[in-house]
Amino acid sequence: MAHHDEAQQAVPNPPGKRTDGDGVQRRRPLRERHVEETVEVAVPVRTAYNQWTQFKTFPRFATVVHGVEQIKPTVTAWTIGYGPLRHRFTVEIVEQDPDAYLAWRGLEQNPSHQGEVEFRPTHSGGTAITVRMLLEPRGAARILTRSPWAAQLTARLVRGALVNFKQFIEAVGQEGGAWRGTIRNGRVQHAHPEPPRSRVPQWPVG
């Protein structure tokens, strides 16, 4: 079952970076958050993670998501709403580790947010998926998000999306695609550095 933690609850790690055993610096989990929801799914981590990276399929299990457009490898545009109401905003992925972690931040001016999702293997061979979000509104929207109902509504929507994702991926049993890249500080990391470009003009052949 999914669960909800209060906004004031903090995780043990302080904000900032952590250095793992491979010497690579990675983000720490959000210390402050308005929402934390977890669900366990009966598929391996790789399957759950691969399907999650297929953002264009989110409308199939997240009821408020009406469309996702890939702007570039680290930026997507989301359209959400109820009934005839629609809101479009862009999101940047700032950190991504295959089969483990994904962190993002909203790029819109008002309101804004940041969040993360973690994937952890369970003893039964399934996956525990945890989503955390911190609402960071600007201007008049700040007054709205101070109200408990705003965080509760966000938590309810996240929990519903996670439960629907669980039903979706367990029903099909396998991912419909995957993006296995790594992102650091908003930049895609290439396994092999690109060779320097020649300054000599290259003409089409054939």
Side-chain angles (χ1 to χ4, degrees):
M1 287 293 294
H3 69 270
H4 169 65
D5 288 348
E6 297 299 331
Q8 299 301 321
Q9 183 177 357
V11 296
N13 297 320
K17 299 285 184 179
R18 71 182 190 274
T19 301
D20 289 348
D22 56 7
V24 176
Q25 279 198 340
R26 298 185 174 91
R27 288 168 56 95
R28 293 183 185 276
L30 289 172
R31 181 176 181 179
E32 297 181 18
R33 69 264 188 164
H34 291 99
V35 173
E36 177 171 328
E37 299 291 335
T38 297
V39 70
E40 291 189 10
V41 299
V43 297
V45 167
R46 186 180 180 93
T47 300
Y49 172 87
N50 284 349
Q51 183 60 54
W52 191 276
T53 63
Q54 302 305 289
F55 300 126
K56 290 184 178 181
T57 66
F58 267 61
R60 300 176 67 176
F61 52 83
T63 56
V64 297
V65 179
H66 293 275
V68 182
E69 178 185 357
Q70 192 83 40
I71 306 299
K72 57 184 183 178
T74 61
V75 178
T76 50
W78 296 66
T79 301
I80 64 173
Y82 289 103
L85 301 178
R86 295 289 187 273
H87 174 59
R88 189 175 188 270
F89 60 94
T90 53
V91 166
E92 179 188 31
I93 299 174
V94 293
E95 204 84 7
Q96 187 163 340
D97 288 307
D99 301 333
Y101 185 76
L102 187 153
W104 72 89
R105 66 185 182 98
L107 297 179
E108 74 279 15
Q109 292 296 317
N110 185 21
S112 187
H113 73 287
Q114 58 177 303
E116 62 190 11
V117 56
E118 288 186 312
F119 302 83
R120 302 182 307 278
T122 63
H123 293 298
S124 61
T127 306
I129 305 174
T130 297
V131 174
R132 303 184 187 94
M133 291 180 62
L134 175 64
L135 307 178
E136 299 179 303
R138 271 84 171 178
R142 183 184 297 271
I143 299 175
L144 295 177
T145 53
R146 285 176 178 172
S147 303
W149 68 265
Q152 292 171 4
L153 174 61
T154 304
R156 191 177 306 117
L157 294 174
V158 172
R159 180 167 57 250
L162 280 173
V163 171
N164 290 343
F165 178 80
K166 169 184 171 67
Q167 296 172 348
F168 171 78
I169 192 61
E170 288 181 351
V172 298
Q174 60 184 8
E175 62 269 41
W179 191 81
R180 304 288 302 174
T182 298
I183 297 174
R184 294 282 180 269
N185 298 317
R187 294 179 178 273
V188 177
Q189 303 297 296
H190 298 283
H192 302 287
E194 296 181 358
R197 295 182 178 180
S198 172
R199 296 188 179 183
V200 178
Q202 301 293 318
W203 300 97
V205 176

